[in-house]
Amino acid sequence: MSTPKIVRTKKELQTHVQRWHRAGQKVGLVPTMGALHHGHLSLVDYIAHSVDKIIATIFVNPTQFGAGEDLDSYPRQEKQDLEALSRTACDLVFIPDASEIYPDGFSTTVSLSGITEILEGAKRPGHFDGVATVVTKLLLMSRCNVAVFGEKDYQQLAVIKQVTKDLDLPVTILGAPLIREKDGLAASSRNAYLSEKERAIAAHLNQVLKECVTLIHTGTPLREAERIARQSLLDIGFESIDYITIVDPTSLKQLDSVTDINTARLLAVARLGRVRLLDNMPV
Ligand code: AMP
């Protein structure tokens, strides 16, 4: 492990990648918004098995934040992030300014129908257009062969797989497992916004989802299992539940029944204070 090289422009990025490609090396991309935790770092370990060189990107993408969301207060900690990456197999970190990604006159949006209109897309209009646009740009400008995204943001992963397929982007997309804190809470940069009391409540989200899966396995109808889980979360102290739903893992459409429980995914978002806590697991 050694300190990765830092680049801030597309041109510098491409100079390195061209050199690697000329040497026959396979290049992997790990896109992030920084404020790195062990969930992000696990993506570097995960992609290391598939590529020779690893690029991490740190870019708080303004176009995926809605009005009133936390763009301005989103944690930015470049120095700590670089220290954390220096303890991984990362070779290069791309840290562009917004003007490098969206120069004056930028006017293209990558927009998907269907999958982006439900769940997170319904709660955060325009969010996935911002994600799909920036990820498409990062995949193309880095000329990477493989890119990895966390199952933590399960819908985001599904959206990116869809864009890559629809636009024939020459990249393999990998989904890496969701990494949790010791008490089961999904690791997230936004967990830092939780008060001590909220943090204690937050750990129960994962517990309730596990109980919901058990209910399904013991024959509880899906709508009933979702209803019981929702009520448990409210009783525990979550302020509201944006959704708790059992879906098809590719289309993310809600399922009415599961004939094959291996092909269903439980997705949930619960609110505590200003934080929306995302979690999901296979049924
Ligand atoms: P973000 O910085 O939140 O945009 O996340 C960058 C990447 O890290 C995305 O692919 C996320 O899905 C992934 N990620 C974030 N938290 C986790 C986690 N707890 N486990 C696995 N992947 C994660």
Side-chain angles (χ1 to χ4, degrees):
M1 313 291 153
S2 61
T3 309
K5 175 116 191 113
I6 302 163
V7 296
R8 298 185 190 271
T9 64
K10 284 188 270 200
K11 198 153 174 276
E12 290 170 285
L13 172 67
Q14 284 163 2
T15 303
H16 286 276
V17 175
Q18 269 163 13
R19 191 156 42 80
W20 292 336
H21 281 320
R22 272 202 297 272
Q25 292 176 308
K26 229 170 146 182
V27 176
L29 190 77
V30 184
T32 82
M33 297 204 298
L36 302 182
H37 50 68
H38 57 298
H40 294 112
L41 302 179
S42 77
L43 302 181
V44 179
D45 296 340
Y46 193 85
I47 203 170
H49 300 286
S50 308
V51 297
D52 304 300
K53 292 287 177 187
I54 301 174
I55 303 166
T57 70
I58 299 177
F59 179 58
V60 182
N61 174 37
T63 65
Q64 70 188 68
F65 287 76
E69 291 188 354
D70 57 344
L71 173 61
D72 293 334
S73 60
Y74 196 83
R76 287 160 172 90
Q77 44 171 67
E78 186 178 306
K79 191 161 169 278
Q80 290 100 306
D81 289 349
L82 292 172
E83 272 166 21
L85 287 169
S86 71
R87 294 191 291 274
T88 72
C90 178
D91 297 285
L92 186 88
V93 192
F94 178 47
I95 315 178
D97 274 346
S99 60
E100 185 71 10
I101 301 292
Y102 303 114
D104 279 348
F106 185 85
S107 49
T108 299
T109 300
V110 178
S111 183
L112 295 80
S113 56
I115 193 168
T116 57
E117 290 157 20
I118 53 177
L119 305 167
E120 287 304 282
K123 293 288 172 192
R124 304 181 67 188
H127 169 67
F128 285 122
D129 285 1
V131 170
T133 304
V134 78
V135 169
T136 302
K137 281 181 64 80
L138 290 172
L139 295 177
L140 291 174
M141 73 173 67
S142 71
R143 322 262 205 267
C144 64
N145 305 96
V146 182
V148 67
F149 297 84
E151 287 187 343
K152 148 89 181 0
D153 300 284
Y154 197 82
Q155 188 173 8
Q156 170 174 279
L157 172 61
V159 166
I160 290 161
K161 283 183 176 164
Q162 186 74 46
V163 178
T164 305
K165 183 164 169 256
D166 288 350
L167 298 184
D168 299 307
L169 299 179
V171 185
T172 302
I173 303 297
L174 301 180
L178 194 167
I179 303 298
R180 300 178 180 282
E181 304 297 350
K182 283 200 182 72
D183 61 5
L185 177 65
S188 166
S189 309
R190 290 185 171 108
N191 291 347
Y193 299 153
L194 295 167
S195 68
E196 210 176 311
K197 186 164 167 249
E198 288 163 348
R199 177 65 188 75
I201 296 172
H204 291 276
L205 176 57
N206 179 236
Q207 197 54 43
V208 169
L209 294 197
K210 282 194 207 155
E211 286 161 14
C212 184
V213 169
T214 305
L215 285 176
I216 296 164
H217 284 203
T218 52
T220 310
L222 300 190
R223 287 305 83 74
E224 179 64 3
E226 290 165 0
R227 192 196 61 73
I228 293 169
R230 173 181 287 271
Q231 192 55 52
S232 301
L233 292 171
L234 293 172
D235 293 346
I236 288 163
F238 287 90
E239 283 154 30
S240 60
I241 318 301
D242 282 0
Y243 53 81
I244 175 155
T245 179
I246 296 126
V247 300
D248 174 272
T250 306
S251 70
L252 304 195
K253 289 198 179 126
Q254 192 178 42
L255 296 171
D256 292 326
S257 61
V258 267
T259 40
D260 177 0
I261 50 176
N262 295 317
T263 62
R265 194 96 190 172
L266 174 59
L267 305 183
V269 173
R271 287 188 195 243
L272 267 180
R274 60 191 283 228
V275 189
R276 298 176 71 245
L277 295 164
L278 281 71
D279 203 341
N280 72 84
M281 61 182 62
V283 174

